[in-house]
Amino acid sequence: MAGITRRAAAAGLAAAGCAPAGRVPAQTGDGPGLRVLARARGAVFGTAIRAVQLREDAALRALVAREAELLVPEWETKWDTLQPQEGRFDFSGLQDIVNHAAAANQRLRGHTLVWHEAMPPWLAPALAEGPARAQRLLEEHCRVVLGTTVTVIRDWDVVNEPIANPPGADHPAPGPGDLRDTPWRRALGPDYVELALRIARQQDCTLRLTVNDYGVEADTPWAADKRARLLRLCRRLLERGAPLDAIGIQAHLQMRHPFRAEPFIAFLQELRGMGLALAVTEMDVREPDALAPTLEARDEAVAAFTETFLRAALEGGVRSFLVWGLSDRDSWLVSMPGVRRWDGVATRGHPFDEQLRPKPMRAAFARAFG
Ligand code: G3I
């Protein structure tokens, strides 16, 4: 199978009359993009994106090129997209994103090799056939996916959301021990995170291997419990010599949960003390149940919450910040059942509004990087 390369992607774009890699202006009439402001701070800013958005939404495409240095495919590096049927791999969506990233001089990270969601229908029954079959499937997926993307993706969420949600969390799922009960855990046993990391490392010893999770940011008993569970997992993995390089903190923040910098910074410092790199990987903000009376006031409140969080993350040693979508247009916060607001109001949880105009949240990023 042909690998995905930036050079091939850039050549394809040149043939199509698009700008070659590295020529995207770092600054426009609107001032420097967040990617430039982050760089000045020694940080990286990026966003999740879907291939279809880049193909069909020229304005969003231009915004992403200006603002983001790092892209993570929202769908295109998940198992259901990459291996919809056993043994049939489809990199077409990812190739589209790689092409655009090459033109905008952007890097990519991969998300995700092991997750209990975004599984094609055939996968869970196949995993249930037993550990030997499950391990072979994971090895083959990693061999093909990491082999194909080797020159364009150097950082992978190897395991996504392995930690169980403690009692009190939005969707409590305590699980046996610290880990979530998933088809992967059931098939491969409680050491499946370590196994997945080792398989990925075996494929390429220079990749950055990340475990990514959510629900560890708030100042609540259940978030503290989840932080403790994640810390225990990291300690155990490192004691056993597992190849874990980084922790991804999703940061799907909710303003109805309190946030306090101190416990969050202490948690980040503990991870850093273990030698782990840190990244905020999927940041967005859900507004509180009781909304301020005007859009301006709502946006200012989101921005203040954002800035407090970002400053804490920076102080805790995070230097990589991805939002889960740049704009309120087409946001999963609005489209996904169970996540969208009970009152039908569209939450304004991204740095740009539906018309792609910068909001105070975007200014909060700029100030935090400043
Ligand atoms: O596969 C079909 C595609 O063929 C079709 O064109 C499209 C039309 O809507 O639907 C596609 O399925 C979508 C699927 O993602 C693709 O994997 C579903 O509609 C869509 O609801 C689904 O949701 C995504 C979800 O992950 C599962 O992959 C969300 O867009 C995405 O924002 C969400 O992202 C997760 C992170 O990966 C992990 N952390 C939480 C975050 C939010 O849930």
Side-chain angles (χ1 to χ4, degrees):
M1 175 173 310
I4 290 186
T5 66
R6 285 178 74 95
R7 189 186 295 170
L13 286 164
C18 299
R23 298 255 181 92
V24 167
Q27 183 160 337
T28 69
D30 301 329
L34 286 177
R35 63 187 287 176
V36 175
L37 299 174
R39 266 282 156 219
R41 167 77 192 234
V44 176
F45 176 80
T47 185
I49 195 71
R50 304 196 283 269
V52 63
Q53 294 173 309
L54 291 172
R55 268 199 311 272
E56 295 177 0
D57 189 337
L60 181 66
R61 185 166 65 233
L63 187 71
V64 168
R66 193 186 77 215
E67 296 287 324
E69 175 173 348
L70 185 60
L71 300 184
V72 58
E74 190 173 343
W75 294 353
E76 290 79 0
T77 43
K78 290 174 176 171
W79 198 303
D80 59 352
T81 306
L82 287 177
Q83 197 182 168
Q85 286 151 6
E86 185 173 356
R88 184 173 76 77
F89 288 83
D90 181 354
F91 290 91
S92 54
L94 177 59
Q95 181 68 66
D96 282 354
I97 295 179
V98 169
N99 291 348
H100 286 283
N105 200 23
Q106 292 160 324
R107 289 181 293 122
L108 267 76
R109 71 187 304 271
H111 168 84
T112 168
L113 297 171
V114 173
W115 190 26
H116 56 277
E117 290 185 36
M119 296 170 79
W122 62 270
L123 184 54
L127 294 179
E129 286 171 24
R133 169 102 159 107
Q135 183 167 339
R136 272 199 310 276
L137 283 170
L138 181 56
E139 284 169 347
E140 180 61 3
H141 189 77
C142 288
R143 187 185 69 76
V144 175
V145 172
L146 300 182
T148 305
T149 59
V150 61
T151 60
V152 289
I153 301 183
R154 310 298 307 148
D155 174 14
W156 272 94
D157 288 334
V158 177
V159 182
N160 192 40
E161 302 173 2
I163 303 295
N165 278 337
D170 288 351
H171 304 284
D178 289 339
L179 296 183
R180 186 190 284 266
D181 180 28
T182 76
W184 288 103
R185 187 190 184 286
R186 286 196 289 278
L188 294 167
D191 288 327
Y192 82 97
V193 178
E194 177 179 347
L195 179 68
L197 289 165
R198 290 193 188 282
I199 289 172
R201 179 64 97 226
Q202 211 171 8
Q203 183 62 41
D204 182 340
C205 65
T206 66
L207 289 177
R208 182 159 98 160
L209 306 182
T210 300
V211 165
N212 192 46
D213 218 320
Y214 71 92
V216 294
E217 303 86 3
D219 185 26
T220 61
W222 53 263
D225 188 347
K226 199 159 178 182
R227 287 193 285 274
R229 290 173 185 233
L230 181 56
L231 287 169
R232 278 196 293 272
L233 173 67
C234 292
R235 255 183 242 113
R236 178 175 159 79
L237 287 169
L238 294 172
E239 274 164 20
R240 291 168 61 92
L244 173 66
D245 302 315
I247 293 299
I249 299 186
Q250 292 189 6
H252 293 295
L253 305 177
Q254 300 192 44
M255 290 172 70
R256 66 195 179 92
H257 300 314
F259 176 78
R260 201 160 55 87
E262 288 74 14
F264 185 60
I265 293 172
F267 163 67
L268 298 179
Q269 285 172 342
E270 201 158 340
L271 290 170
R272 296 243 303 152
M274 295 182 209
L276 295 167
L278 303 175
V280 164
T281 50
E282 306 184 14
M283 185 173 167
D284 49 33
V285 180
R286 271 169 261 184
E287 293 179 79
D289 290 343
L291 296 170
T294 64
L295 273 191
E296 290 71 21
R298 283 173 54 190
D299 286 351
E300 287 299 343
V302 171
F305 197 82
T306 296
E307 191 168 348
T308 304
F309 175 79
L310 289 176
R311 288 189 184 283
L314 281 160
E315 193 174 333
V318 178
R319 291 294 177 272
S320 179
F321 295 87
L322 284 134
V323 287
W324 207 243
L326 267 184
S327 96
D328 296 335
R329 182 188 289 188
D330 208 6
S331 163
W332 78 286
L333 295 176
V334 177
S335 62
M336 190 167 279
V339 172
R340 62 173 164 245
R341 288 176 63 88
W342 55 275
D343 57 6
V345 174
T347 202
R348 295 170 64 83
H350 302 271
F352 292 80
D353 72 7
E354 281 195 345
Q355 278 76 48
L356 306 186
R357 294 173 301 210
K359 294 191 306 184
M361 183 179 176
R362 197 262 184 204
F365 271 94
R367 278 196 302 276
F369 292 145

